[in-house]
Amino acid sequence: MAREEPDVEALNEEISSDLVFNDEVKDGGGVQITCFSEVVNDVALHFQILRLPKQIYVWIGCDSAKLGRIYAAAPTRPKDMISVTSILGGASDNTGAGIARRLVLKTGLNIILACNIPKNSPMLEAEAEKMLVQKLIQLGYARAKAEGSSS
Amino acid sequence: MDSSVPRFPVTYKSLSLDIKGNKTDVVLCSYDDHFLVIATQIGAMGTILHARKEEGVSIEPTFNVSAVFGKRDEPMLLACARQLIQHISISGSSRSLVISLGLKDHSAETLKGVVSAVIENRLW
């Protein structure tokens, strides 16, 4: 299984360096867990958001509670380009990779995303992403307005 | 029949403890096919490892542990994941484990602290 080694190394560097958030962190450290479920066209979508001081872990479940594929995404040098890599679940199915990438764009944070939405469900993916982003903004983890490539 | 929102299907537990003077946040989640364990002292997930049991022909199960993200050559982290997947297996579950360790040091004492905290609060 081919891994995008250069991207992963850049990601590692980013994640281990001190990233400063523009948003205020509600706790003085520690983990905040938010879970919620919605129904979209008879499909149950489950969301689990784990907020760490320097990172966010998100799980999106589609009807089942399987972990699904895991992606890591972060802004990487140069030019704050977003890099995404698949950690678990193989690269033949990229459902979720796009979501991970856009979450980084919208939040400016390092993201680990686990997602079991079946492939070839672009509408479901889009709905899930929309609900997720809405919740992230509500929780104060995301900027309401995309500020482009800052930091 | 009311169209109520479905129950959130994932069981999870979150705790905080002190290991060698470092505040350690531990989160455990139980998915259908995996257990997820996060132990962090650095505010981020750190190195992510995947451990699974391989059903073989022989009576003794074998385990496959690998670091899938982050530091790939830290034997203590691999050992920690190995201990936990073995514990999961002995407890009767054949689910795989995804464990992320964001620790300030990789000493035996720290890893032992993580393992015992996870086992004490296990979801399996």
Side-chain angles (χ1 to χ4, degrees):
Chain A
M1 185 161 58
R3 284 200 213 281
E4 305 147 61
E5 287 298 342
D7 284 340
V8 173
E9 290 316 307
L11 271 175
N12 284 346
E13 249 188 69
E14 278 306 318
I15 281 166
S16 49
S17 70
D18 274 339
L19 284 182
V20 180
F21 293 144
N22 296 327
D23 301 329
E24 43 194 354
V25 181
K26 283 174 192 155
D27 284 356
V31 184
Q32 291 156 288
I33 306 183
T34 308
C35 301
F36 64 104
S37 304
E38 303 271 358
V39 178
V40 174
N41 295 339
D42 285 336
V43 171
L45 283 176
H46 306 287
F47 300 88
Q48 181 183 35
I49 304 171
L50 238 107
R51 170 66 140 100
L52 300 166
K54 299 180 183 179
Q55 198 167 30
I56 288 189
Y57 163 83
V58 178
W59 172 72
I60 304 178
C62 175
D63 276 336
S64 85
K66 290 194 150 75
L67 185 57
R69 294 158 298 284
I70 306 183
Y71 303 93
T76 49
R77 294 182 286 264
K79 296 187 198 164
D80 273 340
M81 282 167 23
I82 315 289
S83 287
V84 186
T85 184
S86 159
I87 293 183
L88 205 65
S92 63
D93 178 352
N94 272 332
T95 315
I99 301 180
R101 196 180 155 271
R102 284 184 293 275
L103 283 180
V104 175
L105 270 172
K106 294 206 159 82
T107 65
L109 309 173
N110 292 330
I111 299 281
I112 304 283
L113 170 74
C115 167
N116 71 13
I117 296 176
K119 58 179 166 181
N120 302 326
S121 324
M123 294 303 295
L124 211 49
E125 251 192 281
E127 269 306 310
E129 187 178 335
K130 201 169 71 172
M131 290 175 178
L132 182 58
V133 172
Q134 259 171 19
K135 186 56 117 179
L136 288 173
I137 293 174
Q138 202 183 84
L139 290 167
Y141 302 159
R143 298 183 274 256
K145 184 178 60 142
E147 282 164 45
S149 53
S150 53
S151 85
Chain B
M1 185 150 7
D2 63 279
S3 54
S4 56
V5 174
R7 212 193 90 245
F8 189 75
V10 175
T11 315
Y12 64 91
K13 205 188 276 192
S14 159
L15 59 135
S16 191
L17 68 149
D18 187 292
I19 299 179
K20 276 176 82 176
N22 294 314
K23 177 169 178 280
T24 313
D25 293 308
V26 177
V27 180
L28 300 104
C29 301
S30 168
Y31 298 96
D32 275 353
D33 54 349
H34 280 88
F35 290 107
L36 171 69
V37 173
I38 300 175
T40 172
Q41 297 172 333
I42 61 173
M45 285 173 73
T47 299
I48 304 178
L49 304 107
H50 183 229
R52 61 174 202 274
K53 175 164 84 166
E54 265 152 22
E55 306 287 357
V57 182
S58 61
I59 303 163
E60 307 272 326
T62 50
F63 303 103
N64 187 311
V65 181
S66 59
V68 292
F69 191 74
K71 297 191 160 84
R72 284 161 209 258
D73 49 6
E74 285 284 336
M76 294 307 290
L77 303 187
L78 292 163
C80 176
R82 175 73 168 71
Q83 271 203 293
L84 289 173
I85 187 70
Q86 185 151 23
H87 199 274
I88 292 173
S89 171
I90 288 172
S91 307
S93 171
S94 38
R95 281 188 239 176
S96 302
L97 169 71
V98 173
I99 172 167
S100 96
L101 296 165
L103 305 170
K104 290 193 173 153
D105 68 85
H106 296 163
S107 65
E109 199 184 326
T110 299
L111 271 312
K112 277 194 194 140
V114 170
V115 169
S116 63
V118 170
I119 289 180
E120 215 174 283
N121 293 279
R122 66 187 179 279
L123 298 174
W124 54 85

